[in-house]
């Protein structure tokens, strides 16, 4: 049995850290990902698409998102099964129970809205563990599997959402990996697709996190994929297919010279699809005032190209200090030279950043640069 | 630059004057007056400013009046390497000559000379210093303007310990200021764009907070909904449980109903038997009461009868005592009766004797009355015969007196004449012959006639006639009155009046006597009394009155003593009678009581007998015992049913059942309320869930991020500009302070001579003196007195001259200085000027040389 496993579409999510221009493109990319998934399903000959939780970013979304989602889903040629997760639980405000969803839902789209076995095709069953609140008090997957016995000739796929225990032991809703593995070993189910981790992760050969099809956070290791899963009682094959179009890059660089600045510039230049790439830089090292001025120029130029260029302040420690003779060559004398010394001393103090910027300004003005 | 010599010719009031200056040194130039002394300063100005061909009004102003000559100025000076003589004449035969003496001799005339001088001065002299060191007349209170004096700046730079001054960095400071002003106002507040961003950031943070609150509010509703749903499930279970409990308990309660009915009946029976026992007991008690009453009545009846019998006995005894007393008393009463008759008889005797005595007295009275009456009648007859009383006598006397008076008056007012018979011929006067002489008053016409010889008729005047007539009338009146009275004259009238008075006195005495005897009674009444006595009492005159009275008194005394004895016995009788009455009353009362007690006894006995006829005492006692036994039986029955109920825990069961019923009801109500709450939550979610609150929050967050980016960037840039600016300014100011230090020191060194050893000044960046401190008090320059301002300004100029090297220097020219300074300070300033004069050239223009007399090395020259 072949199907496409995916999760964490997070439709309706807004990346407020992006600029005005990039933000709507980023949002649109999440909808476009659905169509990409449809193409993957068609090309791989999958029987269905299973989305394991967090289809929507929140239950409190403008219902317009439902219409856009259905529009994209109509382009998916196989049945699509949606599991409510922690972001879109089946609580009283559930988006799945909204008039817009119920009235507009295409025939091939189904919500796994009850825990337990759903027969989805001839010889194919999904054991669903949907979320009914944001903070369940038990292992929903184990609950869903309770009483499910092995059945010959039926391929069962567990659809769950949440962290597997071992990742967060304090979470009462954590999924017991041992119990899940035991159930699969006992033949009560053949494969488990889990949502909640946005990076594609293999827990066991038969337990996978497909991850988000489009990146959502700079902390994710391997987002932007869906899984094409081939599974039966004896064999399992998982094929990771990249569908994401956006890249979130976290780049660390140590800068100590103009050459390092050049290197950073080159690194930025070689990145593909810059308009769909957000870069967080962690910069460390020591630069002269002149070198820092150049770094600023490089970064300012990059900002025009990339969806985002940002300094990850918490992970950065870039020291700027006037190089020997750096200000001496600028013809500063008397009190101006005293001021440079004063500001240089301040680079060690509480207002280091202001002192650094002040020195940069002075450097620019003295050299006759643009104000 | 130094001045060596100035020669003025035909300049204003000066025809010719040649002044040499010490260089260095102090030269005091004394002018003839205010205008004259300034001629030198003016000459120096004009010689540079105006070409010899100039017709400027300033030039014309210095032309001597009434003389057709051109003013001429010749100046010898040295500047830089040059020493030169420069001569100019205007208006008449204008000319310009320049003779350069050093370093290379050179001679020039006309405009060439003028231009060459200007060029040399521009090359070698600091024009600003020249201006600064000239203290113009009338401006001695103003400080020299030193800000742009380059030679002073170089001197100060040379003295400062670094090259601070060399780098002014004006352009750089301007750029920094411009950058600063992109984000800040002049006072350091954020500019419009920056401020707007700060405001926007706050607004958008607020918007995010609001949006988050909205999302959280819906989350809360979702939570509530979930909680309510859970609660509802639990509640439904509890409702089922409660209903089951209630039903089971109701069933158990049904089984108890029969037992409870028995209990109620037994309770009722016990109540009835209690009533029966009470009735029987009260019947027994009523009977005992009746028996007791009958016994009591018997006793009290006997007692009353006995008391009655005692009272009857006492009464009988009292009556017997009265009867005995009355018998004893009868003798005394009879004696009193006899004595009374005797007294009456004696009284009659006394009365008769008294009547007789009374008649005798009356008779005597009547005789007295008759005598008095006779005297009265005699006197009254006398009075009636004599009418002349005192009043009439007085009337006669009055008329006579008036007559006499009128006669005298007539005589006094009339002419008196005397007729004397001389011969023998008869002389008749008034018809009467006279003999000898006759004197008369002429009161009426009178004839004097000597028959045959003469007749004289004399007529009195009218007044005399009137008086005569009146006298005659008065004489008639008196005569008539006397005739009427029947008397001859006044004396007789008086005698008659005395007789009359005597008769009147007698009449009065007789009247008094008669009235006394009558004593208010009429004569008839007195006479009638006598008649009465004569008719009645005129019996036999047997007994004497006194004797009769003694007898009566004796009898009366005896009667009184007898009557007293009777009175005493009567008193005793009253006492006895009272006792009789009291005992009689007691008898009657006790009799009534005895009868009443007897009747009560009869009634009580009758009632008891009647009751006993109904139920005997024994029957009643038996009935009470029977009902009490019944009551014990009923109490036992009730106790046994009660025990049975207790065994079943009936009360507990009832409580449980009613509680279960109420619980079930309450839980159902709770469930209904819960359903209502759930419905409300659902409705709220339907309404709010579709609003896209999450999208709104995202939008708010995005906007906030946008603004924060702009804001952070602006803030960083503004902060950098602020820091750079403040750092630069701080260091520039401190450099400036280092730069002005030598100037300050020079001013303080010179000024301390004038203002005292603790003198200090604050020097501004432009080298002006900002404030002065002396004797611990700091005062801004503007607030100083005129004298202090003048002195400080002078010290500033002198310090400047001192600091600038001799080659770069210029003369200090003071035109009319120290006008505001007192003598003491002038002396001190003289020392300062003297000191500075040892290295600099100082020229003082004045018309009051005394002001500068104390400058030791000064040389004084006179102008003109």
């Amino acid at each position: 049995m072949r199907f496409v496993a995916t999760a964490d579409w997070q439709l309706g999510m807004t990346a407020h850290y992006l600029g005005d221009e990039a933000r709507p493109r980023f949002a649109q990319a999440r909808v476009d990902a659905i169509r990409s998934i449809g193409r993957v399903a068609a090309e791989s000959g999958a029987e269905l698409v299973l989305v394991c939780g967090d289809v929507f970013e929140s239950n409190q979304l403008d219902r317009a998102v439902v219409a856009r989602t259905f529009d994209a889903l109509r382009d998916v040629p196989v049945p699509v099964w949606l599991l409510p997760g922690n972001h879109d639980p089946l609580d009283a405000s559930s988006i799945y129970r909204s008039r817009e969803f119920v009235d507009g839902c295409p025939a091939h789209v189904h919500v796994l809205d009850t825990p337990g076995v759903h027969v989805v095709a001839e010889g194919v069953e999904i054991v669903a563990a949907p979320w009914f609140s944001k903070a369940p008090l038990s292992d929903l997957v184990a609950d869903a599997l309770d009483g499910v016995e092995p059945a010959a000739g039926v391929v069962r796929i567990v659809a769950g959402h949440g962290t597997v225990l071992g990742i967060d032991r304090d979470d009462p809703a954590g999924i017991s990996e041992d119990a899940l593995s035991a159930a699969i070993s006992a033949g009560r189910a053949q494969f488990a697709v889990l949502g909640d981790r946005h990076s594609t992760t293999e827990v066991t050969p038969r337990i996978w996190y497909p991850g988000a099809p489009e990146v959502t956070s700079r902390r994710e290791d391997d987002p932007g994929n869906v899984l094409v899963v081939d599974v039966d009682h004896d064999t399992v094959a998982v094929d990771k297919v990249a569908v994401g179009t956006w890249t979130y890059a976290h780049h660390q660089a140590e800068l100590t010279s103009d050459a390092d600045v050049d290197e950073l510039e080159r690194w930025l230049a070689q990145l593909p699809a810059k308009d769909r790439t957000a870069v967080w830089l962690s910069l460390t090292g020591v630069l002269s005032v002149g070198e820092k001025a150049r770094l600023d120029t490089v970064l300012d130029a990059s900002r025009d190209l990339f969806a985002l260029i940002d300094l990850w302040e918490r992970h950065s420690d870039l020291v700027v200090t006037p190089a020997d003779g750096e200000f001496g060559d600028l013809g500063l004398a008397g009190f101006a030279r005293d001021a440079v010394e004063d500001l240089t001393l301040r680079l060690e103090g509480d207002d280091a950043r202001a002192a650094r910027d002040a020195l940069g300004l002075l450097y620019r003005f003295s050299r006759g640069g643009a104000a | 630059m130094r001045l060596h010599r100035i020669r003025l010719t035909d300049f204003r009031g000066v025809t010719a004057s040649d002044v040499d200056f010490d260089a260095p040194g102090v030269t005091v130039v004394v002018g003839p007056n205010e205008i004259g002394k300034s001629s030198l300063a003016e000459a120096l100005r004009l010689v540079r400013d105006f070409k010899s061909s100039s017709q400027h009004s300033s030039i014309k102003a210095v032309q001597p009046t009434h003389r057709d000559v051109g003013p001429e100025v010749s100046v010898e000076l040295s500047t830089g390497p040059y020493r030169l003589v420069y001569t100019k004449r205007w208006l008449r035969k204008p000319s310009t000559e320049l003779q350069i003496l050093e370093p290379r001799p050179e001679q020039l005339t006309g405009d060439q000379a003028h231009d060459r001088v200007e060029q040399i001065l521009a090359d070698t002299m600091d024009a600003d210093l020249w201006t600064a060191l000239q203290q113009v007349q009338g401006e001695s209170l103003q400080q020299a303007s030193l800000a742009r004096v380059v030679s002073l700046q170089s001197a100060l730079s040379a003295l400062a310990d670094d090259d601070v001054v060399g780098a002014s960095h004006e352009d750089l400071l301007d750029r920094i200021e411009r950058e600063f002003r992109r984000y800040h106002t002049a006072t350091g507040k954020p500019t419009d764009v920056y401020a707007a961003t700060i405001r926007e950031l706050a607004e958008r943070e607020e918007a995010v907070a609001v949006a988050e609150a909205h999302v959280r509010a819906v989350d809360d509703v979702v939570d509530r909904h979930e909680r309510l749903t859970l609660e509802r499930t639990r509640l439904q279970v509890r409702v089922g449980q409660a209903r089951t409990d209630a039903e089971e308990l109701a069933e158990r309660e049904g089984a108890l109903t029969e037992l409870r009915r028995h209990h109620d009946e037994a309770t009722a029976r016990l109540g009835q038997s209690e009533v029966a026992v009470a009735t029987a007991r009260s019947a027994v008690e009523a009977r005992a009461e009746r028996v007791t009453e009958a016994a009591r009545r018997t006793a009290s009846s006997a007692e009353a009868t006995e008391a009655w019998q005692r009272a009857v006995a006492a009464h009988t005894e009292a009556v017997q005592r009265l009867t005995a007393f009355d018998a004893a008393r009868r003798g005394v009463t009879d004696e009193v009766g006899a004595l009374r008759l005797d007294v009456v008889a004696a009284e009659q005797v006394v009365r008769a004797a008294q009547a007789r005595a009374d008649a005798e007295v009356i008779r005597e009275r009547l005789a007295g009355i008759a005598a008095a009456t006779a005297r009265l009648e005699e006197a009254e007859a006398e009075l009636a015969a004599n009418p002349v009383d005192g009043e009439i006598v007085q009337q006669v006397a009055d008329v006579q007196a008036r007559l006499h008076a009128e006669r005298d008056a007539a005589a006094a007012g009339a002419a008196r004449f005397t007729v004397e018979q001389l011969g023998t011929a008869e002389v008749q006067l008034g018809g009467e012959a006279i003999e000898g002489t006759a004197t008369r008053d002429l009161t009426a016409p009178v004839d004097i006639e000597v028959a045959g010889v003469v007749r004289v008729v004399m007529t009195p005047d009218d007044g005399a006639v009137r008086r005569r007539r009146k006298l005659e009338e008065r004489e008639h009146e008196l005569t008539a009155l006397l005739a009427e009275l029947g008397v001859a004259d006044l004396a007789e009238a008086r005698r008659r009046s005395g007789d009359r008075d005597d008769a009147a006195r007698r009449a009065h005495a007789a009247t008094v006597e008669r009235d006394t005897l009558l004593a208010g009674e009429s004569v008839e009444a007195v006479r009638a009394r006598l008649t009465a006595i004569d008719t009645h009492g005129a019996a036999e005159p047997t007994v004497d009155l006194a004797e009769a009275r003694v007898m009566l008194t004796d009898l009366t005394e005896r009667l009184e003593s007898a009557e007293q004895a009777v009175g005493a016995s009567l008193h005793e009788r009253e006492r006895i009678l009272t006792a009789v009455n009291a005992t009689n009353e007691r008898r009657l009362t006790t009799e009534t009581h005895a009868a009443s007690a007897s009747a009560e006894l009869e009634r009580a006995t009758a009632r008891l007998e009647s009751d006993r006829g109904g139920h005997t005492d024994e029957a009643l006692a038996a009935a009470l015992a029977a009902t009490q036994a019944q009551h014990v039986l009923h109490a036992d029955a009730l106790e046994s049913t009660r025990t049975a109920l207790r065994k079943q825990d009936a009360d507990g069961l009832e409580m449980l059942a009613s509680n279960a019923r109420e619980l079930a009801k309450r839980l159902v109500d709770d469930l209904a309320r819960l359903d209502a709450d759930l419905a409300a939550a659902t409705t709220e979610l339907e309404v709010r869930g579709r609003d896209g609150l999450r999208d709104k929050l995202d939008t708010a967050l995005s906007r906030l991020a946008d603004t924060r980016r702009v804001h952070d960037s602006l803030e960083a840039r503004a902060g950098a500009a602020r820091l750079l600016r403040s750092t630069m300014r701080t260091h520039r100011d401190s450099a400036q302070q280092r730069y002005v230090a030598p100037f300050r020191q020079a001013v303080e060194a010179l000024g301390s001579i004038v203002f005292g050893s603790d003198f200090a000044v604050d020097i501004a960046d432009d080298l002006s003196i900002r404030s002065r401190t002396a004797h611990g008090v700091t005062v801004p320059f503007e607030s100083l007195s005129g004298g202090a301002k003048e002195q400080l300004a002078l010290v500033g100029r002198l310090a400047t001259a001192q600091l600038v090297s001799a080659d770069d220097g210029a003369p200090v020219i003071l035109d009319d200085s120290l006008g505001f300074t007192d003598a003491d300070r002038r002396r001190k300033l003289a020392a300062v000027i003297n000191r500075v004069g040892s290295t600099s050239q100082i020229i003082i223009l004045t018309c009051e040389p005394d002001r500068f007399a104390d400058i030791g090395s000064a040389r004084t020259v006179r102008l003109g």
Side-chain angles (χ1 to χ4, degrees), chain A:
Chain A
M1 205 285 284
R2 179 175 297 170
F3 70 102
V4 173
T6 178
D8 300 299
W9 288 2
Q10 312 285 145
L11 293 164
M13 177 180 154
T14 305
H16 44 79
Y17 41 83
L18 293 178
D20 273 346
E21 179 273 331
R23 224 177 266 137
R25 289 194 288 112
F26 179 76
Q28 185 56 42
R30 323 199 64 70
V31 180
D32 292 344
I34 299 174
R35 295 194 171 89
S36 300
I37 291 166
R39 276 194 297 278
V40 170
E43 285 163 12
S44 64
E47 287 184 36
L48 58 96
V49 173
L50 173 58
V51 191
C52 281
D54 292 357
V55 178
F56 296 101
E57 169 68 5
S58 163
N59 277 331
Q60 295 188 43
L61 291 176
D62 191 302
R63 302 311 190 212
V65 74
V66 173
R68 288 203 298 273
T69 303
F70 288 157
D71 188 44
L73 281 172
R74 285 197 187 89
D75 292 346
V76 178
V78 294
V80 179
W81 291 85
L82 307 176
L83 179 78
N86 64 322
H87 275 254
D88 51 359
L90 277 168
D91 62 18
S93 67
S94 175
I95 197 165
Y96 297 109
R97 288 173 179 162
S98 69
R99 186 157 40 74
E100 288 81 355
F101 194 98
V102 174
D103 292 353
C105 189
H108 70 294
V109 176
H110 312 280
V111 179
L112 296 163
D113 56 0
T114 54
V117 174
H118 294 252
V119 177
V120 299
E122 184 68 35
V124 180
E125 291 176 6
I126 293 176
V127 182
W131 286 48
F132 288 91
S133 77
K134 281 180 181 163
L137 299 171
S138 62
D139 179 350
L140 297 176
V141 171
D143 294 350
L145 278 168
D146 193 25
V148 175
E149 294 304 324
V154 174
V155 174
R156 282 209 191 103
I157 302 154
V158 175
H161 189 89
T163 54
V164 286
L165 276 178
I167 296 172
D168 182 356
R169 289 196 174 281
D170 289 338
D171 187 353
I175 301 163
S176 168
E177 187 191 328
D178 293 347
L180 185 51
S181 295
I184 291 170
S185 301
R188 293 160 67 197
Q190 280 66 52
F191 196 85
V193 182
L194 301 178
D196 199 35
R197 287 199 80 188
H198 292 198
S199 299
T200 306
T201 308
E202 177 183 354
V203 180
T204 71
R206 283 179 185 266
I207 304 175
W208 281 74
Y209 282 100
E214 196 63 272
V215 66
T216 60
S217 160
R218 64 190 176 189
R219 286 189 177 79
E220 293 159 8
D221 300 331
D222 186 15
N225 307 305
V226 294
L227 302 178
V228 175
V229 180
D230 253 315
V231 67
D232 57 32
H233 284 261
D234 307 316
T235 62
V236 63
V238 177
D239 184 16
K240 188 170 83 176
V241 180
V243 293
T245 58
W246 278 66
T247 309
Y248 278 11
H250 175 210
H251 184 64
Q252 292 183 320
E254 184 171 4
L255 306 177
T256 55
S257 66
D258 257 336
D260 292 339
V261 178
D262 291 345
E263 176 58 35
L264 177 63
E265 189 177 16
R266 269 196 300 280
W267 182 83
L268 287 168
Q270 57 79 36
L271 286 174
K274 294 184 178 58
D275 62 336
R276 295 193 303 275
T277 302
V279 178
W280 280 269
L281 293 171
S282 296
L283 302 180
T284 54
V286 180
L287 288 183
S288 72
V289 176
E291 287 158 358
K292 172 62 164 57
R294 192 168 123 57
L295 172 65
D296 290 344
T297 311
V298 167
L299 295 182
D300 283 347
S302 300
R303 282 196 177 96
D304 297 336
L305 297 174
F306 284 84
L308 178 75
I309 294 283
D310 202 4
L311 270 184
W312 201 339
E313 293 283 351
R314 202 147 55 77
H315 293 176
S316 294
D317 184 17
L318 189 61
V319 177
V320 178
T321 185
D324 289 342
E326 192 169 39
F327 279 89
D329 298 343
L330 296 175
L332 294 177
F335 68 86
R337 218 172 45 217
D338 294 348
V340 169
E341 280 167 29
D342 189 353
L343 290 171
T344 307
L345 281 175
R346 284 174 191 258
L347 289 172
E348 307 291 320
D350 295 338
D351 53 353
R353 189 175 161 190
R356 193 183 72 199
D357 293 350
L359 276 173
L361 264 185
L362 184 58
Y363 183 81
R364 246 165 56 204
F365 291 164
S366 308
R367 222 174 37 165

Side-chain angles (χ1 to χ4, degrees), chain A residues 14 16-18 20 23 60-63 91-93 99-100 133-134 333 335-336 338 342 357 365 369 371, chain B residues 167 169 172 175 215 218-219 222 225-226 685 689-690 692-695 698 702 705-706 709 720 723 728 731-732:
Chain A
T14 305
H16 44 79
Y17 41 83
L18 293 178
D20 273 346
R23 224 177 266 137
Q60 295 188 43
L61 291 176
D62 191 302
R63 302 311 190 212
D91 62 18
S93 67
R99 186 157 40 74
E100 288 81 355
S133 77
K134 281 180 181 163
F335 68 86
D338 294 348
D342 189 353
D357 293 350
F365 291 164
Chain B
H169 294 307
L172 181 58
R175 299 245 353 224
V215 170
V218 174
D219 283 346
V222 171
H225 192 280
E226 190 186 338
L685 284 174
R690 64 197 326 101
L693 293 174
R694 178 72 219 180
D695 302 273
D698 282 337
S702 302
D706 291 347
R709 263 196 295 278
L723 180 62
M728 290 290 275
H731 286 279
R732 190 197 58 194

Side-chain angles (χ1 to χ4, degrees), chain B residues 149-168 735-736 738-743 767 803-804:
Chain B
V149 178
V150 175
S151 51
L152 179 59
Q153 288 172 353
S154 357
L156 291 173
S157 301
L159 289 168
D161 52 4
D162 54 27
D163 64 344
V164 285
V165 186
S168 68
Q736 198 76 35
R738 285 202 301 281
Y739 163 71
V740 303
F743 180 70
L767 294 174
L803 284 167
V804 177

